[in-house]
Amino acid sequence: MSTNDPIDLRQDRRQWLKTSATVLGATLLPLPAMAAETGQTAAAPSAPQEKPAAEAKTVTHFFTPAQHVLVEELTETIIPADSHSGGAKAAKVADYIDQTLRESFDDNEKALWREGLRLVDIMSQHYNGKSFVNASPEGRIAVLTVLSDHDNMTDLPEVRFFIELKRLTVRGYYTSKIGIHDELQYKGNRILQEYVGCDDQGPATS
């Protein structure tokens, strides 16, 4: 079976949802994949160690380089470039999300993003046999479609992550120059040279 065939992916998704831990209310991920990832969970990033004073002024990032690339591809899949305007990648939405999380005091939100990125890659491995970054555009859409189809299952971390991913992607894009001026074609405040009133010629009322 070709892993990039949309029809096969839809059939695979239906079969997956019948046999996955979703039935048990645990996760959208298949049980074998979750078991295989136990070692990675145990090796989750530890709390950052204190840096020498000389390095304290260096700008740090929330995402690792690999995670940043993954977020770029996730956001671009949600808001892709077209003939009208650039997409999320051109608008540097991943940088916006990185800064938002870096400045956040919500440790639960930060943990959700780290875990969510990990879970998305596991889902892509299941559907496409490769990471999300290396998957085809159709394969990436298939993964996000599963999450979108189950966005009411907010007890699942991958679903909560997807909801936050969409929220920050839209906010980051439509507060960027590309989103505001190229996509929305906002021209800024303008002075009207002449006020044009309503031209409704309906019957006058007493």
Side-chain angles (χ1 to χ4, degrees):
M1 178 181 69
S2 171
T3 57
N4 291 330
D5 189 329
I7 296 178
D8 290 340
L9 283 169
R10 288 195 294 270
Q11 293 173 342
D12 183 40
R13 180 176 67 195
R14 287 194 292 269
Q15 182 62 31
W16 183 24
L17 292 175
K18 290 179 182 178
T19 59
S20 73
T22 303
V23 180
L24 303 177
T27 180
L28 289 174
L29 300 172
L31 287 172
M34 287 297 292
E37 290 296 321
T38 302
Q40 289 192 23
T41 303
S46 58
Q49 298 179 351
E50 294 185 3
K51 295 183 178 181
E55 300 180 12
K57 296 181 180 180
T58 303
V59 177
T60 58
H61 296 281
F62 176 79
F63 297 128
T64 66
Q67 288 174 334
H68 190 275
V69 172
L70 175 54
V71 174
E72 281 188 324
E73 300 306 329
L74 284 165
T75 57
E76 184 74 9
T77 303
I78 294 173
I79 304 182
D82 56 24
S83 58
H84 180 66
S85 61
K89 190 182 295 186
K92 298 187 181 301
V93 172
D95 290 347
Y96 166 81
I97 296 175
D98 184 276
Q99 180 179 352
T100 299
L101 293 172
R102 187 174 72 245
E103 296 175 351
S104 173
F105 293 104
D106 189 341
D107 290 337
N108 290 330
E109 181 184 26
K110 294 179 178 181
L112 176 64
W113 272 82
R114 292 190 180 99
E115 180 67 358
L117 292 174
R118 187 182 72 87
L119 294 176
V120 163
D121 249 354
I122 297 174
M123 292 179 70
S124 184
Q125 289 288 349
H126 174 81
Y127 278 128
N128 308 307
K130 56 187 67 176
S131 68
F132 190 91
V133 170
N134 293 323
S136 66
E138 295 78 12
R140 295 176 181 180
I141 291 173
V143 171
L144 296 190
T145 298
V146 173
L147 294 167
S148 179
D149 288 347
H150 298 85
D151 63 0
N152 62 318
M153 301 175 66
T154 54
D155 55 321
L156 306 182
E158 58 268 43
V159 172
R160 294 199 304 274
F161 163 74
F162 178 65
I163 292 172
E164 283 299 295
L165 170 67
K166 288 192 299 179
R167 182 180 70 86
L168 289 183
T169 296
V170 171
R171 177 178 293 181
Y173 184 77
Y174 286 105
T175 54
S176 71
K177 180 179 181 298
I178 289 177
I180 293 174
H181 295 290
D182 297 348
E183 173 64 19
L184 298 180
Q185 296 186 334
Y186 175 67
K187 304 300 182 182
N189 296 329
R190 292 186 171 187
I191 298 176
L192 294 177
Q193 299 299 323
E194 178 183 1
Y195 175 74
V196 180
C198 178
D199 61 356
D200 182 10
Q201 301 299 320
T205 58
S206 58

